[in-house]
Amino acid sequence: MENPSIGCDKNLSSLLGMAIGENVAINRETKIKNESEGFVFGVHSQLSIFTAEGLLRATHRAKMHGTNGTFAEIVYESYKRWLNVALYSENQSVPLNDGWLIKEKVFYNKTILLKHVAEVLKQDKSGDLDSPINNYSDAEVLPSMVSVGLFFKEDYKLAFKVAQEICALTHGDLITCYCCSVYASLISSLLNGFTLKSSILRSLNLLNDNIYSELVRKDLLQVLKYYETNKSSLPSGEYLVQSFASVLPSPNSSLYVFSISLLISLFYKNNFEEGIIVCSGILLNDDFACSAIVGSILGMINGSLSVPQKWNLAKNAYSVLEEISRDIDTGIFGIEVYATNKDWACKYPGY
């Protein structure tokens, strides 16, 4: 089995890349804000971390208490905790026995809400693949599937399955669910040493033969074809968008955002800074999601040292990423770890 410290480093590089990519996109029209203090978490990074928390709670519940519940069910509860943090007001008290994340002050900065995710959570309802809750097809939940890929690094097929179940909680569009599956699966494959191109192809092979899967497969194969044809040059982000306008779906769709994200990641796979700059300059309806995805992929490929010092993360935010990255690896290694870690039940109670 892989040395835990190696896996932890990759987890951190990917989550750090996402946090930086999202923040650069947020601040693209101005100079970096509070450069001396560093960035805090954008909304996609927040949801990714709470997704990881839900997966860890679900695993703890199953291994220590013999109580099974689907990963999606427990992640939904973590999503509700994220919403409570996002809507927090100073007259509220923070629960003291509800895990560690909800106590971290770094999450209590004012941030934009993910509109459709928040709408579903406020109704206290959720969907599944058999009973779609709506037809939302945006990319709001897509970046957070990085945590599914990191968590299921030893089973890319399980990453594929769990990601679409989690996506279906708030988004009923099947294309969006399949994009989430492919993203989680390719992250799992990257962790195991596959190239980005091989990781994409490996993940596409898991798609079934229905019409929605075929649309995802067709467009992502088009991404690979375009890259192979043009990889000798580094086209601008705007050019990539324009040249794909006729073959990719509506700019409002998750598949469009995902395709552009993968395309930029392929062209700039060896240059984190340039990839983020190109991505953050593209005007998409879900452009923060695009930069978050590209950041997570390029961060994993190039490592945390590839992130320029000018794009630093605030110390308390970085500490949270370090801890959740270690815990993701701890959660993979088996019941012995849970039994010997006295703090684990307090950090990740199984609900």
Side-chain angles (χ1 to χ4, degrees), residues 247-266:
V247 294
L248 293 181
S250 159
N252 292 325
S253 80
S254 55
L255 182 52
Y256 182 86
V257 172
F258 191 37
S259 299
I260 294 296
S261 300
L262 291 183
L263 200 58
I264 293 173
S265 297
L266 284 162

Side-chain angles (χ1 to χ4, degrees), residues 9 42 51 55 191 202 216 254 272 289 292 301 314 318 320 323 326 339-340 345:
D9 288 344
T51 299
L55 295 171
L191 270 169
R202 195 173 186 234
V216 174
S254 55
F272 179 90
I301 292 173
Y318 190 82
V320 168
E323 187 154 1
R326 287 193 298 267
T340 57

Side-chain angles (χ1 to χ4, degrees), residues 10-25 45 143 146 183 187 190 261-262 264-265 268-269 271-277 279-280 287-304 306-307 311:
K10 291 179 179 179
N11 297 344
L12 178 59
S13 297
S14 188
L15 292 173
L16 176 63
M18 168 174 285
I20 296 298
E22 182 178 9
N23 270 286
V24 172
S45 297
V146 65
Y183 179 39
I187 289 292
L190 284 172
S261 300
L262 291 183
I264 293 173
S265 297
Y268 292 91
K269 60 182 178 292
N271 193 326
F272 179 90
E273 182 174 3
E274 286 300 314
I276 294 302
I277 290 172
C279 190
S280 64
D287 56 342
F288 297 169
C290 181
S291 293
I293 294 167
V294 171
S296 71
I297 293 173
L298 298 188
M300 178 178 293
I301 292 173
N302 295 285
S304 58
S306 67
V307 178
W311 293 340

Side-chain angles (χ1 to χ4, degrees), residues 12-222:
L12 178 59
S13 297
S14 188
L15 292 173
L16 176 63
M18 168 174 285
I20 296 298
E22 182 178 9
N23 270 286
V24 172
I26 292 170
N27 295 295
R28 67 177 180 270
E29 294 179 359
T30 62
K31 293 182 179 180
I32 296 175
K33 299 177 181 178
N34 298 322
E35 186 172 343
S36 61
E37 298 176 11
F39 291 130
V40 292
F41 295 129
V43 66
H44 292 300
S45 297
Q46 287 190 12
L47 197 64
S48 298
I49 294 168
F50 275 87
T51 299
E53 188 221 33
L55 295 171
L56 287 162
R57 284 178 180 243
T59 306
H60 182 212
R61 175 174 175 160
K63 288 184 176 180
M64 290 304 294
H65 304 294
T67 308
N68 290 320
T70 68
F71 287 103
E73 288 173 348
I74 308 301
V75 168
Y76 183 77
E77 296 302 316
S78 287
Y79 279 8
K80 289 197 289 187
R81 277 186 288 278
W82 163 78
L83 184 65
N84 288 336
V85 167
L87 298 177
Y88 175 79
S89 66
E90 293 182 358
N91 353 343
Q92 292 176 289
S93 59
V94 177
L96 298 178
N97 59 347
D98 201 11
W100 71 284
L101 273 187
I102 204 168
K103 303 185 191 75
E104 294 295 322
K105 292 181 180 179
V106 69
F107 292 109
Y108 289 87
N109 61 299
K110 296 297 181 183
T111 186
I112 59 172
L113 283 178
L114 294 170
K115 178 182 176 181
H116 291 147
V117 174
E119 177 185 305
V120 173
L121 294 175
K122 287 177 182 178
Q123 296 172 359
D124 200 21
K125 296 179 180 179
S126 63
D128 57 42
L129 293 168
D130 295 324
S131 304
I133 192 168
N134 51 45
N135 61 353
Y136 295 155
S137 61
D138 56 78
E140 286 186 358
V141 296
L142 182 54
S144 63
M145 297 305 141
V146 65
S147 294
V148 182
L150 296 175
F151 194 83
F152 295 107
K153 67 175 185 179
E154 297 189 356
D155 192 340
Y156 77 107
K157 293 181 180 179
L158 186 55
F160 184 96
K161 177 179 181 293
V162 172
Q164 62 183 334
E165 292 172 349
I166 293 175
C167 175
L169 293 170
T170 59
H171 285 64
D173 176 66
L174 283 177
I175 290 177
T176 301
C177 292
Y178 289 135
C179 287
C180 288
S181 292
V182 172
Y183 179 39
S185 176
L186 77 83
I187 289 292
S188 176
S189 296
L190 284 172
L191 270 169
N192 284 281
F194 287 85
T195 65
L196 179 54
K197 178 182 175 182
S198 296
S199 296
I200 295 171
L201 288 170
R202 195 173 186 234
S203 303
L204 291 180
N205 286 336
L206 299 178
L207 291 167
N208 57 32
D209 296 326
N210 67 42
I211 185 173
Y212 305 105
S213 292
E214 286 303 317
L215 286 171
V216 174
R217 182 183 289 110
K218 177 183 175 182
D219 277 27
L220 297 188
L221 287 175
Q222 182 69 24

Side-chain angles (χ1 to χ4, degrees), residues 220-231:
L220 297 188
L221 287 175
Q222 182 69 24
V223 166
L224 292 172
K225 180 180 178 182
Y226 183 93
Y227 169 70
E228 288 298 326
T229 304
N230 299 280
K231 63 184 178 181

